[in-house]
């Protein structure tokens, strides 16, 4: 992490670039917040505030109260977040889908529902004890204090809820600057969480939020003296901004997960897995399959397996038509690069098929087609349910192409193979945080696979899939000699 002084103007320009690339309006251009978070209603209570400074002050006061409640208080607090995420999943999922207008409604609902059973809590905070001839040493996990969080439009409330469970379990409070286009559901969720916690524990504002997030409020949160740790979930530009901060940053950056399919793979299983992962929430997940490299000897059979599994194969001309519609250029000069078109980002596969000149059932989950390496879908984190398939001579070439397309993000990679040496070779070369073998990408987060869930996967800063331990610091307490039961008689004497 860089220790250079943060430049607020630089952060503002970076965040502006992020919003422009995603194609969502800035707060200044967005419509006023409706309902319970409108100006003059709940701003200043139940976690919703009109300024960063107010939100940080409230979270600081809440942190002091949380400390007095102990681990049991944290456990009770996060139990309410879990309960509301499950019980209100359909209502809040519908709110998020209506506000953001991207992804799939059933998956918006599901992402909230799985928070209850898959996100770890206080049980992760296991102390370490060392006992020897010279006494005892206990290593505990202490909170940082107030954490500043930036959350994406792709998973607005699920990311906030997941982070809140982890952070509060670690003994922290959190101030959120949500993406402007997901601020209404974010504020409503935070309001409900805080109300339930207050009714039980008498503490408000364990989670606070800026009701009208802007570029300026994001910059202010990064630099606020009351914020002890930064957690950012987003694309490459906002990740770079976080890494410029003098504060410690937990950065969940971008991914462009490649898939390799070799000649030993179970092709039908691979096809079903690829569709399940890449179609999830219309491929908005950073872990979702984004491009597929298939060994030539099984390429045609793999394409047939994809069709049997329910995918729609586009012709070469249809792929070209979709590429022209779906990928646009952003930036200028040497910084010019392809980005997903805002009109198709996170949209349904049937709409992509229509843009390509094909017809499809509204229930279609994924479109796919053969491309070459030069197609911009290959290097771009497109976040839409279309997959480019690239034909490779050998599995070694497929692994090398996968490595190139992942850009060194070291985020997620997937392979379908029964050759252990091949899987090992790819795993070592790509060195990703998540490496999924013979399953859908979502299995890497415990959805159909083993392990726990988080929607913040810290790849640039190395923490990996975040847990309560991610948001704690180690504290060692040492007791020398006396009060130990075990030890030599001479030591007691």
């Amino acid at each position: 992490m860089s220790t250079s002084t943060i430049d607020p103007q630089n952060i503002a320009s970076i965040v502006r670039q992020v919003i422009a690339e995603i194609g969502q309006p800035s707060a200044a251009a967005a419509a006023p917040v409706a309902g319970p978070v409108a100006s003059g209603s709940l701003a200043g209570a139940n976690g919703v505030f009109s300024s960063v400074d107010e939100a940080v002050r409230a979270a600081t006061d809440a942190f002091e109260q949380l400390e007095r409640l102990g681990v049991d208080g944290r456990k009770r607090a996060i139990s309410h977040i879990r309960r509301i995420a499950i019980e209100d999943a359909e209502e809040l999922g519908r709110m998020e889908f209506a506000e953001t207008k991207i992804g799939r409604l059933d998956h918006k609902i599901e992402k909230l529902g799985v928070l209850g059973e898959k996100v770890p809590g206080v049980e992760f905070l296991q102390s370490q004890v060392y006992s020897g001839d010279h006494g005892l040493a206990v290593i505990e996990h202490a909170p940082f204090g107030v954490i500043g969080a930036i959350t994406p439009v792709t998973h607005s409330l699920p990311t906030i809820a997941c982070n809140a469970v982890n952070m509060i379990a670690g003994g922290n409070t959190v101030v959120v600057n949500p993406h402007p286009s997901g601020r209404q559901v974010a504020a409503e969720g935070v309001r409900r969480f805080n109300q339930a916690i207050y009714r039980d524990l008498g503490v408000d504002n364990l989670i606070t939020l800026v009701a009208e997030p802007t570029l300026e409020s994001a910059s202010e949160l990064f630099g606020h003296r009351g914020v002890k740790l930064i957690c950012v979930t987003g694309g490459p530009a906002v990740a770079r901004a976080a890494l410029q901060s003098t504060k410690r940053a937990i950065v969940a950056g971008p991914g462009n997960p490649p898939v390799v399919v070799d000649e030993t793979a179970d092709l039908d299983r691979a096809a079903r897995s690829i569709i399940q992962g890449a179609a999830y929430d219309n491929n908005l997940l950073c872990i979702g399959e984004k491009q597929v490299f298939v060994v030539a000897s099984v390429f045609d059979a793999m394409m047939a397996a994809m069709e049997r599994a329910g995918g729609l194969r586009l012709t070469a001309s249809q792929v070209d038509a979709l590429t022209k519609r779906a990928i646009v250029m952003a930036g200028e000069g040497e910084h010019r690069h392809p980005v997903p078109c805002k009109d198709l980002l996170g949209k349904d596969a049937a709409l992509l098929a229509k843009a390509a000149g094909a017809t499809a059932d509204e229930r279609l989950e994924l479109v796919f087609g053969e491309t070459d390496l030069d197609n911009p879908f290959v290097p771009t984190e497109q976040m839409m349910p279309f997959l480019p398939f690239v034909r490779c001579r050998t599995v070694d070439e497929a692994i090398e192409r996968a490595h190139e397309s992942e850009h060194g993000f070291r985020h997620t990679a997937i392979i379908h193979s029964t050759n252990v040496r091949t899987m090992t070779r790819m795993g070592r070369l790509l060195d990703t945080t998540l490496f999924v073998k013979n399953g859908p990408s979502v299995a890497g987060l415990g959805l159909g696979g083993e392990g726990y869930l988080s929607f913040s996967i810290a790849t640039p800063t190395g923490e990996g899939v975040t847990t309560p331990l991610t948001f704690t610091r180690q504290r060692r307490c040492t007791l020398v000699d006396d009060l130990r039961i075990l030890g030599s008689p001479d030591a007691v004497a």
Side-chain angles (χ1 to χ4, degrees):
M1 182 177 66
S2 171
T3 57
S4 59
T5 303
I6 194 164
D7 182 351
Q9 290 185 340
N10 187 38
I11 290 179
S13 65
I14 290 174
V15 177
R16 188 176 293 109
Q17 176 189 345
V18 174
I19 293 174
E21 289 182 4
I22 293 180
Q24 303 296 333
S26 68
V33 179
V37 295
S39 178
S41 59
L42 281 181
N46 304 132
V48 182
F49 292 87
S50 59
S51 72
V52 169
D53 195 54
E54 290 173 335
V56 172
R57 286 203 309 268
T60 301
D61 181 63
F63 170 70
E64 294 171 357
Q65 296 179 67
L66 182 63
E67 281 193 306
R68 294 193 290 270
L69 294 176
V71 174
D72 183 64
R74 302 178 198 175
K75 186 175 182 180
R76 287 164 59 183
I78 63 178
S79 71
H80 292 294
I81 300 174
R82 296 183 195 275
R83 176 182 56 79
I84 291 169
I86 294 171
E87 293 178 356
D88 297 357
E90 181 167 356
E91 181 185 2
L92 292 171
R94 288 184 180 278
M95 287 178 61
E96 180 157 338
F97 183 71
E99 182 181 7
T100 64
K101 298 178 176 61
I102 56 175
R104 288 177 49 178
L105 175 59
D106 55 337
H107 293 156
K108 299 294 185 193
I109 296 169
E110 184 179 12
K111 282 190 292 184
L112 286 168
V114 297
L115 288 171
E117 59 179 282
K118 287 290 185 179
V119 178
V122 296
E123 68 276 4
F124 257 60
L125 305 176
Q126 299 294 322
S127 298
Q128 295 172 280
V129 179
Y130 296 87
S131 176
D133 291 340
H134 301 291
L136 291 169
V138 180
I139 298 177
E140 296 179 321
H141 303 284
F144 279 91
V146 177
I147 299 174
I150 307 294
T151 56
V153 68
T154 49
H155 323 286
S156 181
L157 187 55
T159 303
I160 291 171
C162 181
N163 283 347
V165 168
N166 281 331
M167 293 170 181
I168 294 171
N172 307 280
T173 56
V174 56
V175 181
V176 181
N177 196 89
H179 191 285
S181 293
R183 71 197 191 285
Q184 294 186 46
V185 69
E188 178 62 15
V190 165
R191 182 184 68 83
R192 295 187 188 193
F193 298 152
N194 279 302
Q195 283 184 336
I197 293 169
Y198 180 77
R199 283 194 295 266
D200 182 15
L201 298 172
V203 177
D204 197 6
N205 301 317
L206 293 184
I207 316 161
T208 64
L209 172 143
V210 182
E212 292 286 351
T214 63
L215 302 176
E216 291 73 20
S217 64
S219 178
E220 186 180 349
L221 184 62
F222 272 47
H224 199 288
R225 291 182 59 185
V227 173
K228 307 304 181 185
L229 178 72
I230 297 169
C231 178
V232 170
T233 307
V238 72
R240 286 195 302 270
L243 292 172
Q244 291 180 22
S245 174
T246 54
K247 292 182 173 66
R248 181 180 173 185
I250 308 296
V251 181
N256 193 42
V259 184
V260 166
V261 181
D262 77 1
E263 64 276 10
T264 72
D266 180 334
L267 300 184
D268 285 311
R269 176 177 177 174
R272 291 191 301 270
S273 295
I274 289 169
I275 291 175
Q276 181 183 350
Y280 194 87
D281 208 21
N282 285 344
N283 213 353
L284 290 177
L285 270 67
C286 54
I287 66 169
E289 292 86 340
K290 297 296 190 290
Q291 63 279 346
V292 187
F293 301 91
V294 185
V295 174
S297 61
V298 294
F299 187 90
D300 293 331
M302 182 65 205
M303 300 297 269
M306 288 292 295
E307 291 186 279
R308 287 195 299 273
L312 174 66
R313 182 176 183 178
L314 301 181
T315 65
S317 61
Q318 289 170 338
V319 169
D320 289 341
L322 178 60
T323 303
K324 291 176 183 178
R325 287 283 309 277
I327 305 294
V328 298
M329 300 302 293
E332 296 182 0
E334 62 181 14
H335 299 293
R336 191 167 175 79
H337 61 286
V339 297
C341 171
K342 63 181 181 180
D343 294 333
L344 295 178
L345 184 147
K347 300 300 184 183
D348 290 344
L351 185 60
L352 299 187
K354 182 178 180 181
T359 57
D361 188 284
E362 292 297 319
R363 295 169 295 180
L364 177 69
E365 293 185 279
L366 187 78
V367 290
F368 69 99
E370 182 175 1
T371 75
D372 56 28
L373 281 172
D374 296 329
N375 187 289
F377 266 113
V378 175
T380 303
E381 187 185 18
Q382 75 268 24
M383 293 186 285
M384 58 186 72
F386 168 79
L387 284 185
F389 277 67
V390 179
R391 192 186 300 256
C392 300
R393 293 187 302 274
T394 65
V395 69
D396 287 335
E397 179 188 341
I399 292 172
E400 184 59 39
R401 299 304 188 193
H403 183 223
E404 293 170 359
S405 72
E406 208 269 333
H407 305 306
F409 291 146
R410 295 194 293 180
H411 195 292
T412 300
I414 303 99
I415 188 171
H416 293 276
S417 171
T418 58
N419 188 317
V420 174
R421 289 185 177 180
T422 296
M423 291 187 283
T424 302
R425 190 158 65 250
M426 180 174 173
R428 287 176 176 170
L429 178 62
L430 273 71
D431 192 24
T432 51
T433 299
L434 297 180
F435 185 38
V436 180
K437 283 87 80 176
N438 298 316
S441 58
V442 292
L445 292 182
L447 303 176
E450 294 298 327
Y452 50 84
L453 173 68
S454 174
F455 291 117
S456 291
I457 305 168
T459 47
T461 49
E463 292 81 6
V465 182
T466 54
T467 74
L469 289 178
T470 306
F471 304 103
T472 62
R473 54 189 181 84
Q474 285 196 2
R475 181 171 58 194
R476 178 183 292 196
C477 179
T478 301
L479 178 65
V480 179
D481 292 335
D482 289 339
L483 299 182
R484 294 184 65 248
I485 296 175
L486 301 177
S488 67
D490 293 339
V492 176

